[in-house]
């Protein structure tokens, strides 16, 4: 018997395990389906692409195919599966979004979640290498450092944005969200600072914290409407562990709603269709899926020392490996997406509506299009920051081994595609500047012949990607589709909270790791305060 059982040791779960077990009188059990994170490549920032192929450390989900998108091929949806969860496989970009993203959460009926109220939790989490100021913390567990700009083309991207007349920012999380520049990263001394590294490893010897890896939680146990424990599978054997106070679901925006539904909490019609007994009717479970859809401009180039799948590329990687594994020096210290930013596709907008990630290679299909990467090139990825389309997570069956059905419902709102078309045009404006002159060879995608809005839109659909930011599938709020209240307690139930990216009512306008860690920091405070 434990006071708290946390399901999922990802970005949120690691924070909760640390903060709740800080009181030796509170016992905590953290259950993770994936393995430990002692594999060297997890900690090597430049090895990001490896995990797109690893079924051991990634769930490797695929979304429901849509004939109108990716020519009917399913969208690859990676998710971390190890201590640290997605923070152990992510791109490490540290951004938070615009202050109004959080004010909107509060306006939607979630008191306590406005920007001024969440900022202290971003600061509490953070140890920014630049030191503390109004926006940043210096004493938190999560190390945040500046980009070292190892790739020539990253510097070219910044120079080009300047030449194109774009605003510049050297701190997207401070005074100036809008602009282009180098990102900050959750990297410390050339090593990934995942949520496990920041929050879990330093406290793993606490006697009141039990961490189990390789356990798939297959259901929440209820006494009426009260969550009293969970059952997990390990190698075919089922074990039930009981919670004295609460069960906390932190399995992420795909797996948390799936687990709730498998446990009998969800839309009654959908549960009955899978012959699952309804414990509690909550129609919003799995609905409201939001994601950053991503379009890319891919340019074949002269060699610029970027990443290629070629004999020369392999030799360069060999040298990078020797430098890195000798003294943690060189390119592998860095994320591949070193620069980017937040821009407005229309100057009359109140805030930026697109984000850019620049990459020193021809990066498509999550880096799984290896043939494309044989030539030197660079890519400018653009995503629509506040999509209006809403998708869902459903059940393929009542069996926990079956992956959830991820339905993005792409471009169900036409504004999202319009936003991406405008974003591609903005990217082209930057790529057309003199800064790129020495490198540019040929635009491979959308392709120089695609200039009209409709042609660009079709090209975007044909090669659409995502930025791996699913949120919203157990949204916080007080309307009939809300799953949790502002304390993140599941509506209508006792002893059950959801604390992870799935509780966001709307997608923040940036990457989602720092916001998820903020959510868990704030939730831990609420739990410890008895609310
Ligand atoms: C490839 C990739 C790149 C990304 N790049 C960035 C980036 O550069 N910057 C950024 O800010 N964000 C990035 N993100 C997004 C960010 O990492 C996530 O938003 C964040 O980690 C989500 O945290 P979470 O706690 O909700 O879920 P996760 O961190 O995914 O944690 C969920 C955990 O629950 C476990 N789990 C699931 N089901 C079960 C079960 N039934 N039983 C037991 N355990 C279970 C999983 O294995 C996982 O460890 C990226 C994500 C990916 C996948």
């Amino acid at each position: 018997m434990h006071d708290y059982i946390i399901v999922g040791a990802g970005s949120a779960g690691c924070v909760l395990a640390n903060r709740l077990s800080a009181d030796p009188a509170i016992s905590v059990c953290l259950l993770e389906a994936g393995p430990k994170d002692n594999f060297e490549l997890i900690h090597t920032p430049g090895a990001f692409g490896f995990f797109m192929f690893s079924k051991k450390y990634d769930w490797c989900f695929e979304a429901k195919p849509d004939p109108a998108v990716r020519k009917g091929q399913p969208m690859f949806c990676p998710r971390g599966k190890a201590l640290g969860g997605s923070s152990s496989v992510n791109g490490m970009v540290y951004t938070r979004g615009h202050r109004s993203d959080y004010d909107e959460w509060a306006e939607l009926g979630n008191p306590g979640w406005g920007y001024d109220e969440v900022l202290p939790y971003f600061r509490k989490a953070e140890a920014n290498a630049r030191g503390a100021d109004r926006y940043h913390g210096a004493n938190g567990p999560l190390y945040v450092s500046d980009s070292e700009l190892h790739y020539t083309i990253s510097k070219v991207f910044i120079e080009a944005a300047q030449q194109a007349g774009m605003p510049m920012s050297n701190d997207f999380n401070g005074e100036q969200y809008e602009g282009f520049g180098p990102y900050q990263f959750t990297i410390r001394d050339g090593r990934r600072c995942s949520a496990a590294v920041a929050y879990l490893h330093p406290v793993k010897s606490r006697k009141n914290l039990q961490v189990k890896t390789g356990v798939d939680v297959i259901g929440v146990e209820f006494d009426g409407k009260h969550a009293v424990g969970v059952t997990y599978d390990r190698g075919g054997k089922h074990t039930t562990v009981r919670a004295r106070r609460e069960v906390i679901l932190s399995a992420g925006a795909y797996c948390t709603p799936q687990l709730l539904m498998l446990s009998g909490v969800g839309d009654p019609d959908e549960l009955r269709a899978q012959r699952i007994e309804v414990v509690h009717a909550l129609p919003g479970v799995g609905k409201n899926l939001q994601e950053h859809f991503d379009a890319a401009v891919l340019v074949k180039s002269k060699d610029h020392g970027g990443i290629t799948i070629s004999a020369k590329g392999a030799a360069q990687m060999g040298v990078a490996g020797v430098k890195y594994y000798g003294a943690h020096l060189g390119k592998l210290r860095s994320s591949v997406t070193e620069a980017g930013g937040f821009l407005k596709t229309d100057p009359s907008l109140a805030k930026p509506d697109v984000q850019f990630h620049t990459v020193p290679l021809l990066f498509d299909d999550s880096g799984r299009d290896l043939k494309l990467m044989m030539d030197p090139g660079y890519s400018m990825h653009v995503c629509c920051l506040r999509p209006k389309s809403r998708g869902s997570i459903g059940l393929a069956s009542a069996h926990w081994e079956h992956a959830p059905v991820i339905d993005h419902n792409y471009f169900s709102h036409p504004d999202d595609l319009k936003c991406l078309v405008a974003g591609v045009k903005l990217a082209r404006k930057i790529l057309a500047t003199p800064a790129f002159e020495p490198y540019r060879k040929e635009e491979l995608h959308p392709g120089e012949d695609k200039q009209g809005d409709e042609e660009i839109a079709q090209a975007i659909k044909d090669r659409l990607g995502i930025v791996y930011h699913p949120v919203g599938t157990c949204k916080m709020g007080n309307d009939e589709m809300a799953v949790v209240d502002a304390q993140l307690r599941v509506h209508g139930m006792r002893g059950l909270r959801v604390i992870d990216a799935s509780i966001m009512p709307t997608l923040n306008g940036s990457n989602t790791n720092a916001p998820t860690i903020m959510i868990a920091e704030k939730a831990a405070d609420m739990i410890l305060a008895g609310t």
Side-chain angles (χ1 to χ4, degrees):
M1 180 84 100
H2 300 269
D3 289 315
Y4 295 98
I5 295 173
I6 303 165
V7 180
S11 299
C14 290
V15 177
L16 293 164
N18 177 316
R19 298 302 189 196
L20 297 181
S21 68
D23 179 348
I26 293 176
S27 66
V28 176
C29 177
L30 177 64
L31 301 172
E32 168 57 42
K36 289 187 178 150
D37 60 342
N38 46 12
F39 179 48
E40 173 57 31
L41 292 189
I42 288 181
H43 304 281
T44 307
F48 169 75
F50 170 85
F51 295 97
M52 300 298 185
F53 300 89
S54 166
K55 290 212 162 149
K56 181 170 179 187
Y57 296 105
D58 199 304
W59 292 83
C60 294
F61 291 134
E62 283 188 338
K64 187 176 147 188
D66 176 337
V69 166
R70 297 190 59 77
K71 299 183 174 159
Q73 293 304 304
M75 179 78 75
F76 182 62
C77 300
R79 284 286 94 190
K81 186 181 186 185
L83 291 183
S86 296
S87 75
S88 285
V89 302
N90 72 11
M92 296 154 286
V93 175
Y94 181 86
T95 59
R96 302 172 180 175
H98 192 265
R99 60 176 301 138
S100 65
D101 294 333
Y102 302 98
D103 289 339
E104 188 185 351
W105 292 4
E107 282 153 23
L108 286 168
N110 299 297
W113 290 91
Y115 180 73
D116 290 335
E117 290 136 322
V118 302
L119 180 59
Y121 293 102
F122 279 116
R123 294 184 76 246
K124 181 180 183 183
E126 187 187 16
N128 200 300
R130 297 182 189 178
D133 64 16
R134 190 174 151 217
Y135 298 100
H136 296 286
N139 300 316
L142 188 68
Y143 200 79
V144 177
S145 61
D146 282 313
S147 178
E148 294 176 359
L149 296 178
H150 285 275
Y151 293 96
T152 309
I153 214 77
S154 304
K155 293 174 204 146
V156 176
F157 270 112
I158 295 170
E159 195 191 333
Q162 221 159 1
Q163 287 180 355
M166 305 300 162
M168 294 285 125
S169 174
N170 88 359
D171 183 6
F172 304 116
N173 307 305
E175 218 38 75
Q176 191 161 347
Y177 167 70
E178 180 179 7
F180 210 88
Y183 280 122
Q184 284 206 301
F185 295 99
T186 44
I187 296 177
R188 177 173 213 154
D189 300 330
R191 309 286 283 165
R192 175 191 292 275
C193 187
S194 68
V197 168
Y199 285 90
L200 197 58
H201 295 315
V203 302
K204 64 185 173 202
S205 61
R206 284 182 187 163
K207 296 213 166 35
N208 58 330
L209 172 62
Q210 189 175 39
V211 181
K212 283 182 193 287
T213 52
V215 291
D216 281 286
V217 174
I218 60 174
V220 180
E221 301 300 322
F222 295 104
D223 179 2
K225 303 256 176 184
H226 188 175
V228 293
V230 301
T231 297
Y232 64 76
D233 173 281
R234 179 185 250 160
K237 187 174 167 254
H238 291 185
T239 306
T240 298
V241 278
R242 300 185 81 78
R244 210 174 286 121
R245 296 191 193 177
E246 287 187 15
V247 171
I248 300 171
L249 303 185
S250 301
Y254 297 144
C255 296
T256 287
Q258 182 193 23
L259 187 55
L260 274 174
M261 289 186 267
L262 290 174
S263 308
V265 180
D267 181 329
D269 293 337
E270 284 176 45
L271 300 185
R272 283 189 203 109
Q274 300 293 349
R275 297 176 198 278
I276 295 171
E277 192 191 327
V278 179
V279 173
H280 184 61
L282 262 185
V285 174
K287 305 297 189 297
N288 193 44
L289 172 66
Q290 292 156 70
E291 174 61 271
H292 283 141
F293 299 141
D294 176 90
V297 180
L298 305 172
V299 184
K300 199 166 153 179
S301 72
K302 293 166 197 153
D303 192 8
H304 54 79
I307 298 169
T308 52
I309 304 279
S310 63
K312 191 171 173 198
Q316 282 171 345
M317 204 40 90
V319 172
V322 170
K323 274 192 186 165
Y324 186 77
Y325 293 112
H328 294 157
L329 294 173
K331 288 176 183 171
L332 295 177
R333 288 172 63 81
S334 177
S335 166
V336 289
T337 178
E338 295 179 318
F342 303 88
L343 297 175
K344 293 176 186 167
T345 56
D346 174 348
S348 70
L349 292 172
K351 60 186 173 187
D353 57 336
V354 288
Q355 180 179 1
F356 291 90
H357 292 91
T358 66
V359 201
L361 68 151
L362 291 167
F363 184 91
D364 188 41
D365 191 15
S366 298
R368 300 183 315 153
D369 188 341
L370 299 179
K371 197 160 168 265
L372 183 74
M373 283 162 62
M374 289 166 85
D375 287 311
Y378 44 86
S379 339
M380 193 158 190
H381 287 255
V382 56
C383 69
C384 167
L385 283 170
R386 293 172 195 86
K388 295 179 183 167
S389 303
R390 296 288 183 267
S392 64
I393 300 299
L395 290 178
S397 84
H399 297 284
W400 62 271
E401 298 103 317
H402 292 163
V405 178
I406 302 167
D407 184 355
H408 284 120
N409 202 13
Y410 306 101
F411 305 125
S412 45
H413 197 295
D415 285 358
D416 297 347
L417 191 53
K418 280 189 201 145
C419 172
L420 281 183
V421 170
V424 163
K425 288 181 178 171
L426 207 55
R428 277 176 162 173
K429 194 172 165 194
I430 295 170
L431 292 165
T433 56
F436 276 104
E437 206 59 55
Y439 305 98
R440 190 183 306 117
K441 257 190 174 172
E442 177 196 354
E443 184 183 297
L444 292 178
H445 178 81
E448 269 128 43
D449 58 324
K450 311 270 184 338
Q451 294 299 334
D453 285 9
E454 276 182 28
E455 289 172 309
I456 298 172
Q458 187 57 49
I460 289 170
K461 286 202 260 178
D462 286 350
R463 241 180 168 141
L464 192 74
I466 51 172
V467 197
Y468 324 122
H469 296 158
V471 307
T473 51
C474 293
K475 80 165 181 176
M476 166 172 70
N478 51 24
D479 60 282
E480 61 178 16
M481 295 307 277
V483 175
V484 296
D485 65 16
Q487 271 66 44
L488 310 188
R489 298 173 297 212
V490 175
H491 282 297
M493 310 223 65
R494 282 191 300 132
L496 185 62
R497 287 191 214 232
V498 172
I499 304 175
D500 59 23
S502 63
I503 68 96
M504 297 188 196
T506 51
L507 183 48
N508 58 289
S510 76
N511 310 77
T512 46
N513 188 43
T516 306
I517 287 173
M518 173 280 289
I519 288 167
E521 284 278 15
K522 184 166 164 59
D525 251 16
M526 294 190 300
I527 293 171
L528 292 171
T531 54

